[in-house]
PDB file of all heavy atoms in Angstrom:
ATOM      1  N   ALA A  69      -6.044  23.458   9.088  1.00  0.00           N
ATOM      2  CA  ALA A  69      -6.494  22.546   8.036  1.00  0.00           C
ATOM      3  C   ALA A  69      -6.582  23.270   6.703  1.00  0.00           C
ATOM      4  O   ALA A  69      -6.152  22.741   5.660  1.00  0.00           O
ATOM      5  CB  ALA A  69      -7.846  21.947   8.405  1.00  0.00           C
ATOM      6  N   GLU A  70      -7.119  24.475   6.710  1.00  0.00           N
ATOM      7  CA  GLU A  70      -7.207  25.248   5.466  1.00  0.00           C
ATOM      8  C   GLU A  70      -5.815  25.566   4.929  1.00  0.00           C
ATOM      9  O   GLU A  70      -5.562  25.490   3.720  1.00  0.00           O
ATOM     10  CB  GLU A  70      -7.996  26.535   5.692  1.00  0.00           C
ATOM     11  CG  GLU A  70      -8.135  27.353   4.410  1.00  0.00           C
ATOM     12  CD  GLU A  70      -9.029  28.568   4.578  1.00  0.00           C
ATOM     13  OE1 GLU A  70      -9.318  28.947   5.741  1.00  0.00           O
ATOM     14  OE2 GLU A  70      -9.435  29.131   3.548  1.00  0.00           O
ATOM     15  N   GLN A  71      -4.905  25.924   5.812  1.00  0.00           N
ATOM     16  CA  GLN A  71      -3.532  26.215   5.376  1.00  0.00           C
ATOM     17  C   GLN A  71      -2.879  24.991   4.760  1.00  0.00           C
ATOM     18  O   GLN A  71      -2.159  25.088   3.755  1.00  0.00           O
ATOM     19  CB  GLN A  71      -2.714  26.703   6.570  1.00  0.00           C
ATOM     20  CG  GLN A  71      -3.144  28.053   7.119  1.00  0.00           C
ATOM     21  CD  GLN A  71      -2.438  28.414   8.416  1.00  0.00           C
ATOM     22  OE1 GLN A  71      -1.571  27.670   8.910  1.00  0.00           O
ATOM     23  NE2 GLN A  71      -2.786  29.555   8.988  1.00  0.00           N
ATOM     24  N   GLU A  72      -3.141  23.815   5.332  1.00  0.00           N
ATOM     25  CA  GLU A  72      -2.556  22.585   4.806  1.00  0.00           C
ATOM     26  C   GLU A  72      -3.145  22.228   3.444  1.00  0.00           C
ATOM     27  O   GLU A  72      -2.417  21.794   2.537  1.00  0.00           O
ATOM     28  CB  GLU A  72      -2.769  21.439   5.789  1.00  0.00           C
ATOM     29  CG  GLU A  72      -2.124  20.128   5.385  1.00  0.00           C
ATOM     30  CD  GLU A  72      -0.607  20.152   5.399  1.00  0.00           C
ATOM     31  OE1 GLU A  72      -0.008  21.238   5.662  1.00  0.00           O
ATOM     32  OE2 GLU A  72       0.011  19.104   5.152  1.00  0.00           O
ATOM     33  N   ILE A  73      -4.425  22.418   3.278  1.00  0.00           N
ATOM     34  CA  ILE A  73      -5.060  22.162   1.988  1.00  0.00           C
ATOM     35  C   ILE A  73      -4.465  23.064   0.919  1.00  0.00           C
ATOM     36  O   ILE A  73      -4.135  22.619  -0.186  1.00  0.00           O
ATOM     37  CB  ILE A  73      -6.584  22.383   2.091  1.00  0.00           C
ATOM     38  CG1 ILE A  73      -7.223  21.266   2.922  1.00  0.00           C
ATOM     39  CG2 ILE A  73      -7.210  22.435   0.697  1.00  0.00           C
ATOM     40  CD1 ILE A  73      -8.681  21.521   3.257  1.00  0.00           C
ATOM     41  N   THR A  74      -4.308  24.341   1.247  1.00  0.00           N
ATOM     42  CA  THR A  74      -3.735  25.294   0.293  1.00  0.00           C
ATOM     43  C   THR A  74      -2.306  24.920  -0.058  1.00  0.00           C
ATOM     44  O   THR A  74      -1.902  24.958  -1.228  1.00  0.00           O
ATOM     45  CB  THR A  74      -3.772  26.714   0.880  1.00  0.00           C
ATOM     46  OG1 THR A  74      -5.129  27.076   1.155  1.00  0.00           O
ATOM     47  CG2 THR A  74      -3.164  27.722  -0.089  1.00  0.00           C
ATOM     48  N   ARG A  75      -1.524  24.532   0.945  1.00  0.00           N
ATOM     49  CA  ARG A  75      -0.127  24.160   0.696  1.00  0.00           C
ATOM     50  C   ARG A  75      -0.027  22.956  -0.235  1.00  0.00           C
ATOM     51  O   ARG A  75       0.750  22.970  -1.204  1.00  0.00           O
ATOM     52  CB  ARG A  75       0.557  23.833   2.030  1.00  0.00           C
ATOM     53  CG  ARG A  75       2.046  23.489   1.893  1.00  0.00           C
ATOM     54  CD  ARG A  75       2.639  23.072   3.232  1.00  0.00           C
ATOM     55  NE  ARG A  75       2.199  21.740   3.636  1.00  0.00           N
ATOM     56  CZ  ARG A  75       2.764  20.604   3.211  1.00  0.00           C
ATOM     57  NH1 ARG A  75       3.778  20.638   2.349  1.00  0.00           N
ATOM     58  NH2 ARG A  75       2.320  19.437   3.645  1.00  0.00           N
ATOM     59  N   LEU A  76      -0.816  21.927   0.035  1.00  0.00           N
ATOM     60  CA  LEU A  76      -0.751  20.726  -0.790  1.00  0.00           C
ATOM     61  C   LEU A  76      -1.314  20.971  -2.182  1.00  0.00           C
ATOM     62  O   LEU A  76      -0.812  20.407  -3.167  1.00  0.00           O
ATOM     63  CB  LEU A  76      -1.508  19.584  -0.101  1.00  0.00           C
ATOM     64  CG  LEU A  76      -0.841  19.049   1.172  1.00  0.00           C
ATOM     65  CD1 LEU A  76      -1.742  18.035   1.869  1.00  0.00           C
ATOM     66  CD2 LEU A  76       0.517  18.417   0.852  1.00  0.00           C
ATOM     67  N   ASP A  77      -2.306  21.810  -2.286  1.00  0.00           N
ATOM     68  CA  ASP A  77      -2.850  22.157  -3.598  1.00  0.00           C
ATOM     69  C   ASP A  77      -1.783  22.819  -4.455  1.00  0.00           C
ATOM     70  O   ASP A  77      -1.589  22.480  -5.634  1.00  0.00           O
ATOM     71  CB  ASP A  77      -4.054  23.090  -3.417  1.00  0.00           C
ATOM     72  CG  ASP A  77      -4.790  23.363  -4.714  1.00  0.00           C
ATOM     73  OD1 ASP A  77      -4.609  22.592  -5.684  1.00  0.00           O
ATOM     74  OD2 ASP A  77      -5.570  24.334  -4.761  1.00  0.00           O
ATOM     75  N   GLN A  78      -1.062  23.745  -3.877  1.00  0.00           N
ATOM     76  CA  GLN A  78      -0.005  24.444  -4.607  1.00  0.00           C
ATOM     77  C   GLN A  78       1.155  23.527  -4.946  1.00  0.00           C
ATOM     78  O   GLN A  78       1.835  23.711  -5.959  1.00  0.00           O
ATOM     79  CB  GLN A  78       0.486  25.632  -3.774  1.00  0.00           C
ATOM     80  CG  GLN A  78      -0.559  26.722  -3.582  1.00  0.00           C
ATOM     81  CD  GLN A  78      -0.122  27.800  -2.604  1.00  0.00           C
ATOM     82  OE1 GLN A  78       0.838  27.628  -1.855  1.00  0.00           O
ATOM     83  NE2 GLN A  78      -0.842  28.917  -2.605  1.00  0.00           N
ATOM     84  N   LEU A  79       1.377  22.522  -4.128  1.00  0.00           N
ATOM     85  CA  LEU A  79       2.488  21.600  -4.335  1.00  0.00           C
ATOM     86  C   LEU A  79       2.188  20.558  -5.401  1.00  0.00           C
ATOM     87  O   LEU A  79       3.057  20.202  -6.202  1.00  0.00           O
ATOM     88  CB  LEU A  79       2.811  20.894  -3.015  1.00  0.00           C
ATOM     89  CG  LEU A  79       3.990  19.917  -3.009  1.00  0.00           C
ATOM     90  CD1 LEU A  79       5.307  20.678  -3.062  1.00  0.00           C
ATOM     91  CD2 LEU A  79       3.933  19.034  -1.770  1.00  0.00           C
ATOM     92  N   LEU A  80       0.951  20.060  -5.430  1.00  0.00           N
ATOM     93  CA  LEU A  80       0.626  18.872  -6.213  1.00  0.00           C
ATOM     94  C   LEU A  80      -0.145  19.142  -7.499  1.00  0.00           C
ATOM     95  O   LEU A  80      -0.383  18.213  -8.278  1.00  0.00           O
ATOM     96  CB  LEU A  80      -0.189  17.905  -5.353  1.00  0.00           C
ATOM     97  CG  LEU A  80       0.457  17.470  -4.037  1.00  0.00           C
ATOM     98  CD1 LEU A  80      -0.497  16.601  -3.238  1.00  0.00           C
ATOM     99  CD2 LEU A  80       1.765  16.729  -4.296  1.00  0.00           C
ATOM    100  N   SER A  81      -0.520  20.367  -7.751  1.00  0.00           N
ATOM    101  CA  SER A  81      -1.293  20.686  -8.942  1.00  0.00           C
ATOM    102  C   SER A  81      -0.537  20.327 -10.219  1.00  0.00           C
ATOM    103  O   SER A  81       0.661  20.582 -10.347  1.00  0.00           O
ATOM    104  CB  SER A  81      -1.631  22.183  -8.967  1.00  0.00           C
ATOM    105  OG  SER A  81      -2.186  22.550 -10.214  1.00  0.00           O
ATOM    106  N   THR A  82      -1.244  19.733 -11.180  1.00  0.00           N
ATOM    107  CA  THR A  82      -0.622  19.409 -12.471  1.00  0.00           C
ATOM    108  C   THR A  82      -0.666  20.587 -13.433  1.00  0.00           C
ATOM    109  O   THR A  82       0.050  20.587 -14.436  1.00  0.00           O
ATOM    110  CB  THR A  82      -1.337  18.215 -13.126  1.00  0.00           C
ATOM    111  OG1 THR A  82      -2.744  18.494 -13.182  1.00  0.00           O
ATOM    112  CG2 THR A  82      -1.081  16.931 -12.348  1.00  0.00           C
ATOM    113  N   GLY A  83      -1.510  21.587 -13.144  1.00  0.00           N
ATOM    114  CA  GLY A  83      -1.658  22.707 -14.061  1.00  0.00           C
ATOM    115  C   GLY A  83      -0.999  23.991 -13.616  1.00  0.00           C
ATOM    116  O   GLY A  83      -0.754  24.887 -14.441  1.00  0.00           O
ATOM    117  N   ASP A  84      -0.683  24.114 -12.329  1.00  0.00           N
ATOM    118  CA  ASP A  84      -0.050  25.319 -11.794  1.00  0.00           C
ATOM    119  C   ASP A  84       1.443  25.282 -12.113  1.00  0.00           C
ATOM    120  O   ASP A  84       2.168  24.397 -11.662  1.00  0.00           O
ATOM    121  CB  ASP A  84      -0.271  25.393 -10.285  1.00  0.00           C
ATOM    122  CG  ASP A  84       0.263  26.666  -9.671  1.00  0.00           C
ATOM    123  OD1 ASP A  84       1.020  27.404 -10.341  1.00  0.00           O
ATOM    124  OD2 ASP A  84      -0.052  26.928  -8.490  1.00  0.00           O
ATOM    125  N   GLU A  85       1.911  26.243 -12.885  1.00  0.00           N
ATOM    126  CA  GLU A  85       3.308  26.243 -13.328  1.00  0.00           C
ATOM    127  C   GLU A  85       4.299  26.406 -12.183  1.00  0.00           C
ATOM    128  O   GLU A  85       5.496  26.175 -12.360  1.00  0.00           O
ATOM    129  CB  GLU A  85       3.520  27.344 -14.365  1.00  0.00           C
ATOM    130  CG  GLU A  85       2.735  27.118 -15.649  1.00  0.00           C
ATOM    131  CD  GLU A  85       3.025  28.168 -16.695  1.00  0.00           C
ATOM    132  OE1 GLU A  85       3.904  29.033 -16.444  1.00  0.00           O
ATOM    133  OE2 GLU A  85       2.385  28.146 -17.765  1.00  0.00           O
ATOM    134  N   THR A  86       3.811  26.810 -11.006  1.00  0.00           N
ATOM    135  CA  THR A  86       4.707  26.965  -9.859  1.00  0.00           C
ATOM    136  C   THR A  86       4.756  25.713  -8.994  1.00  0.00           C
ATOM    137  O   THR A  86       5.531  25.657  -8.037  1.00  0.00           O
ATOM    138  CB  THR A  86       4.272  28.149  -8.981  1.00  0.00           C
ATOM    139  OG1 THR A  86       2.982  27.870  -8.404  1.00  0.00           O
ATOM    140  CG2 THR A  86       4.173  29.429  -9.808  1.00  0.00           C
ATOM    141  N   SER A  87       3.952  24.694  -9.302  1.00  0.00           N
ATOM    142  CA  SER A  87       3.888  23.508  -8.454  1.00  0.00           C
ATOM    143  C   SER A  87       5.063  22.575  -8.712  1.00  0.00           C
ATOM    144  O   SER A  87       5.675  22.584  -9.789  1.00  0.00           O
ATOM    145  CB  SER A  87       2.582  22.757  -8.674  1.00  0.00           C
ATOM    146  OG  SER A  87       2.649  21.951  -9.843  1.00  0.00           O
ATOM    147  N   GLU A  88       5.331  21.744  -7.734  1.00  0.00           N
ATOM    148  CA  GLU A  88       6.420  20.783  -7.869  1.00  0.00           C
ATOM    149  C   GLU A  88       6.094  19.708  -8.900  1.00  0.00           C
ATOM    150  O   GLU A  88       6.956  19.309  -9.682  1.00  0.00           O
ATOM    151  CB  GLU A  88       6.713  20.127  -6.514  1.00  0.00           C
ATOM    152  CG  GLU A  88       7.880  19.146  -6.556  1.00  0.00           C
ATOM    153  CD  GLU A  88       8.262  18.627  -5.189  1.00  0.00           C
ATOM    154  OE1 GLU A  88       8.014  19.342  -4.195  1.00  0.00           O
ATOM    155  OE2 GLU A  88       8.812  17.525  -5.104  1.00  0.00           O
ATOM    156  N   VAL A  89       4.852  19.253  -8.910  1.00  0.00           N
ATOM    157  CA  VAL A  89       4.468  18.219  -9.869  1.00  0.00           C
ATOM    158  C   VAL A  89       4.568  18.746 -11.298  1.00  0.00           C
ATOM    159  O   VAL A  89       5.030  18.037 -12.202  1.00  0.00           O
ATOM    160  CB  VAL A  89       3.045  17.702  -9.576  1.00  0.00           C
ATOM    161  CG1 VAL A  89       2.555  16.793 -10.705  1.00  0.00           C
ATOM    162  CG2 VAL A  89       3.021  16.949  -8.249  1.00  0.00           C
ATOM    163  N   TYR A  90       4.149  19.979 -11.519  1.00  0.00           N
ATOM    164  CA  TYR A  90       4.264  20.572 -12.860  1.00  0.00           C
ATOM    165  C   TYR A  90       5.717  20.618 -13.293  1.00  0.00           C
ATOM    166  O   TYR A  90       6.064  20.277 -14.427  1.00  0.00           O
ATOM    167  CB  TYR A  90       3.665  21.982 -12.858  1.00  0.00           C
ATOM    168  CG  TYR A  90       3.666  22.639 -14.221  1.00  0.00           C
ATOM    169  CD1 TYR A  90       2.584  22.490 -15.080  1.00  0.00           C
ATOM    170  CD2 TYR A  90       4.755  23.409 -14.642  1.00  0.00           C
ATOM    171  CE1 TYR A  90       2.580  23.094 -16.331  1.00  0.00           C
ATOM    172  CE2 TYR A  90       4.759  24.017 -15.894  1.00  0.00           C
ATOM    173  CZ  TYR A  90       3.669  23.852 -16.730  1.00  0.00           C
ATOM    174  OH  TYR A  90       3.676  24.447 -17.977  1.00  0.00           O
ATOM    175  N   ARG A  91       6.601  21.027 -12.376  1.00  0.00           N
ATOM    176  CA  ARG A  91       8.034  21.097 -12.700  1.00  0.00           C
ATOM    177  C   ARG A  91       8.591  19.721 -13.026  1.00  0.00           C
ATOM    178  O   ARG A  91       9.346  19.555 -13.992  1.00  0.00           O
ATOM    179  CB  ARG A  91       8.802  21.711 -11.520  1.00  0.00           C
ATOM    180  CG  ARG A  91      10.318  21.702 -11.708  1.00  0.00           C
ATOM    181  CD  ARG A  91      11.033  22.299 -10.515  1.00  0.00           C
ATOM    182  NE  ARG A  91      10.718  21.607  -9.270  1.00  0.00           N
ATOM    183  CZ  ARG A  91      11.263  20.456  -8.899  1.00  0.00           C
ATOM    184  NH1 ARG A  91      12.133  19.831  -9.705  1.00  0.00           N
ATOM    185  NH2 ARG A  91      10.958  19.914  -7.742  1.00  0.00           N
ATOM    186  N   ILE A  92       8.210  18.726 -12.241  1.00  0.00           N
ATOM    187  CA  ILE A  92       8.687  17.369 -12.489  1.00  0.00           C
ATOM    188  C   ILE A  92       8.267  16.897 -13.877  1.00  0.00           C
ATOM    189  O   ILE A  92       9.056  16.315 -14.629  1.00  0.00           O
ATOM    190  CB  ILE A  92       8.137  16.416 -11.411  1.00  0.00           C
ATOM    191  CG1 ILE A  92       8.793  16.705 -10.062  1.00  0.00           C
ATOM    192  CG2 ILE A  92       8.371  14.952 -11.798  1.00  0.00           C
ATOM    193  CD1 ILE A  92       8.116  16.025  -8.904  1.00  0.00           C
ATOM    194  N   ASN A  93       7.011  17.150 -14.212  1.00  0.00           N
ATOM    195  CA  ASN A  93       6.510  16.711 -15.509  1.00  0.00           C
ATOM    196  C   ASN A  93       7.179  17.435 -16.669  1.00  0.00           C
ATOM    197  O   ASN A  93       7.436  16.841 -17.721  1.00  0.00           O
ATOM    198  CB  ASN A  93       4.991  16.913 -15.576  1.00  0.00           C
ATOM    199  CG  ASN A  93       4.233  15.885 -14.754  1.00  0.00           C
ATOM    200  OD1 ASN A  93       4.752  14.813 -14.452  1.00  0.00           O
ATOM    201  ND2 ASN A  93       3.000  16.203 -14.395  1.00  0.00           N
ATOM    202  N   GLN A  94       7.462  18.703 -16.490  1.00  0.00           N
ATOM    203  CA  GLN A  94       8.095  19.474 -17.565  1.00  0.00           C
ATOM    204  C   GLN A  94       9.565  19.122 -17.726  1.00  0.00           C
ATOM    205  O   GLN A  94      10.088  19.092 -18.855  1.00  0.00           O
ATOM    206  CB  GLN A  94       7.953  20.977 -17.284  1.00  0.00           C
ATOM    207  CG  GLN A  94       6.522  21.478 -17.324  1.00  0.00           C
ATOM    208  CD  GLN A  94       5.848  21.215 -18.649  1.00  0.00           C
ATOM    209  OE1 GLN A  94       6.368  21.557 -19.709  1.00  0.00           O
ATOM    210  NE2 GLN A  94       4.666  20.605 -18.613  1.00  0.00           N
ATOM    211  N   GLU A  95      10.227  18.824 -16.625  1.00  0.00           N
ATOM    212  CA  GLU A  95      11.671  18.564 -16.664  1.00  0.00           C
ATOM    213  C   GLU A  95      12.010  17.083 -16.757  1.00  0.00           C
ATOM    214  O   GLU A  95      13.184  16.717 -16.835  1.00  0.00           O
ATOM    215  CB  GLU A  95      12.330  19.179 -15.423  1.00  0.00           C
ATOM    216  CG  GLU A  95      12.180  20.695 -15.357  1.00  0.00           C
ATOM    217  CD  GLU A  95      12.800  21.290 -14.102  1.00  0.00           C
ATOM    218  OE1 GLU A  95      13.357  20.514 -13.284  1.00  0.00           O
ATOM    219  OE2 GLU A  95      12.720  22.524 -13.932  1.00  0.00           O
ATOM    220  N   GLY A  96      10.994  16.239 -16.704  1.00  0.00           N
ATOM    221  CA  GLY A  96      11.248  14.811 -16.805  1.00  0.00           C
ATOM    222  C   GLY A  96      11.822  14.194 -15.546  1.00  0.00           C
ATOM    223  O   GLY A  96      12.515  13.170 -15.606  1.00  0.00           O
ATOM    224  N   GLY A  97      11.545  14.818 -14.405  1.00  0.00           N
ATOM    225  CA  GLY A  97      12.014  14.287 -13.128  1.00  0.00           C
ATOM    226  C   GLY A  97      12.611  15.363 -12.257  1.00  0.00           C
ATOM    227  O   GLY A  97      12.494  16.553 -12.539  1.00  0.00           O
ATOM    228  N   GLY A  98      13.264  14.935 -11.171  1.00  0.00           N
ATOM    229  CA  GLY A  98      13.890  15.880 -10.260  1.00  0.00           C
ATOM    230  C   GLY A  98      13.927  15.335  -8.846  1.00  0.00           C
ATOM    231  O   GLY A  98      13.524  14.201  -8.582  1.00  0.00           O
ATOM    232  N   THR A  99      14.430  16.169  -7.930  1.00  0.00           N
ATOM    233  CA  THR A  99      14.486  15.803  -6.520  1.00  0.00           C
ATOM    234  C   THR A  99      13.172  16.165  -5.856  1.00  0.00           C
ATOM    235  O   THR A  99      12.679  17.289  -5.996  1.00  0.00           O
ATOM    236  CB  THR A  99      15.631  16.537  -5.814  1.00  0.00           C
ATOM    237  OG1 THR A  99      16.858  16.247  -6.482  1.00  0.00           O
ATOM    238  CG2 THR A  99      15.732  16.116  -4.360  1.00  0.00           C
ATOM    239  N   LEU A 100      12.592  15.227  -5.139  1.00  0.00           N
ATOM    240  CA  LEU A 100      11.259  15.407  -4.583  1.00  0.00           C
ATOM    241  C   LEU A 100      11.299  15.935  -3.155  1.00  0.00           C
ATOM    242  O   LEU A 100      12.195  15.613  -2.380  1.00  0.00           O
ATOM    243  CB  LEU A 100      10.502  14.084  -4.599  1.00  0.00           C
ATOM    244  CG  LEU A 100      10.427  13.338  -5.933  1.00  0.00           C
ATOM    245  CD1 LEU A 100       9.539  12.101  -5.802  1.00  0.00           C
ATOM    246  CD2 LEU A 100       9.923  14.241  -7.046  1.00  0.00           C
ATOM    247  N   SER A 101      10.290  16.712  -2.809  1.00  0.00           N
ATOM    248  CA  SER A 101      10.111  17.151  -1.430  1.00  0.00           C
ATOM    249  C   SER A 101       9.543  15.994  -0.614  1.00  0.00           C
ATOM    250  O   SER A 101       9.223  14.926  -1.141  1.00  0.00           O
ATOM    251  CB  SER A 101       9.153  18.347  -1.376  1.00  0.00           C
ATOM    252  OG  SER A 101       7.860  17.946  -1.793  1.00  0.00           O
ATOM    253  N   GLU A 102       9.402  16.195   0.680  1.00  0.00           N
ATOM    254  CA  GLU A 102       8.942  15.113   1.553  1.00  0.00           C
ATOM    255  C   GLU A 102       7.565  14.597   1.148  1.00  0.00           C
ATOM    256  O   GLU A 102       7.340  13.385   1.074  1.00  0.00           O
ATOM    257  CB  GLU A 102       8.910  15.596   3.007  1.00  0.00           C
ATOM    258  CG  GLU A 102       8.449  14.524   3.984  1.00  0.00           C
ATOM    259  CD  GLU A 102       8.457  14.997   5.425  1.00  0.00           C
ATOM    260  OE1 GLU A 102       8.862  16.157   5.677  1.00  0.00           O
ATOM    261  OE2 GLU A 102       8.042  14.218   6.303  1.00  0.00           O
ATOM    262  N   ASP A 103       6.629  15.510   0.867  1.00  0.00           N
ATOM    263  CA  ASP A 103       5.274  15.086   0.523  1.00  0.00           C
ATOM    264  C   ASP A 103       5.237  14.331  -0.798  1.00  0.00           C
ATOM    265  O   ASP A 103       4.617  13.263  -0.892  1.00  0.00           O
ATOM    266  CB  ASP A 103       4.339  16.295   0.443  1.00  0.00           C
ATOM    267  CG  ASP A 103       4.105  16.939   1.786  1.00  0.00           C
ATOM    268  OD1 ASP A 103       3.390  16.358   2.621  1.00  0.00           O
ATOM    269  OD2 ASP A 103       4.650  18.036   2.014  1.00  0.00           O
ATOM    270  N   THR A 104       5.855  14.870  -1.827  1.00  0.00           N
ATOM    271  CA  THR A 104       5.813  14.201  -3.129  1.00  0.00           C
ATOM    272  C   THR A 104       6.591  12.888  -3.100  1.00  0.00           C
ATOM    273  O   THR A 104       6.244  11.940  -3.804  1.00  0.00           O
ATOM    274  CB  THR A 104       6.362  15.112  -4.239  1.00  0.00           C
ATOM    275  OG1 THR A 104       7.635  15.625  -3.863  1.00  0.00           O
ATOM    276  CG2 THR A 104       5.412  16.261  -4.510  1.00  0.00           C
ATOM    277  N   ALA A 105       7.621  12.824  -2.269  1.00  0.00           N
ATOM    278  CA  ALA A 105       8.360  11.565  -2.121  1.00  0.00           C
ATOM    279  C   ALA A 105       7.467  10.506  -1.493  1.00  0.00           C
ATOM    280  O   ALA A 105       7.421   9.356  -1.952  1.00  0.00           O
ATOM    281  CB  ALA A 105       9.605  11.782  -1.276  1.00  0.00           C
ATOM    282  N   LEU A 106       6.741  10.885  -0.441  1.00  0.00           N
ATOM    283  CA  LEU A 106       5.831   9.939   0.205  1.00  0.00           C
ATOM    284  C   LEU A 106       4.739   9.478  -0.758  1.00  0.00           C
ATOM    285  O   LEU A 106       4.407   8.292  -0.816  1.00  0.00           O
ATOM    286  CB  LEU A 106       5.204  10.592   1.442  1.00  0.00           C
ATOM    287  CG  LEU A 106       6.098  10.752   2.660  1.00  0.00           C
ATOM    288  CD1 LEU A 106       5.408  11.609   3.723  1.00  0.00           C
ATOM    289  CD2 LEU A 106       6.463   9.395   3.253  1.00  0.00           C
ATOM    290  N   LEU A 107       4.200  10.409  -1.532  1.00  0.00           N
ATOM    291  CA  LEU A 107       3.154  10.067  -2.484  1.00  0.00           C
ATOM    292  C   LEU A 107       3.691   9.180  -3.600  1.00  0.00           C
ATOM    293  O   LEU A 107       2.997   8.266  -4.067  1.00  0.00           O
ATOM    294  CB  LEU A 107       2.542  11.346  -3.067  1.00  0.00           C
ATOM    295  CG  LEU A 107       1.621  12.110  -2.113  1.00  0.00           C
ATOM    296  CD1 LEU A 107       1.370  13.523  -2.614  1.00  0.00           C
ATOM    297  CD2 LEU A 107       0.293  11.382  -1.945  1.00  0.00           C
TER     298      LEU A 107
END
């Protein structure tokens, strides 16, 4: 459970420059991973 929380935190953070959501926002879109696609 802790590992999953950490993984999703790193994936979905709006402020972490390494996150997928941050990249999407900076680039104006992109191809989504399974989790972000579901969300």
Side-chain angles (χ1 to χ4, degrees):
E70 181 174 15
Q71 293 172 2
E72 184 67 356
I73 289 171
T74 300
R75 183 184 73 83
L76 291 173
D77 187 18
Q78 294 172 345
L79 182 73
L80 304 176
S81 170
T82 53
D84 184 347
E85 295 184 4
T86 65
S87 80
E88 182 173 333
V89 171
Y90 183 90
R91 174 181 58 79
I92 290 168
N93 286 339
Q94 294 302 308
E95 298 178 0
T99 303
L100 307 185
S101 65
E102 180 178 358
D103 292 287
T104 51
L106 286 171
L107 286 164

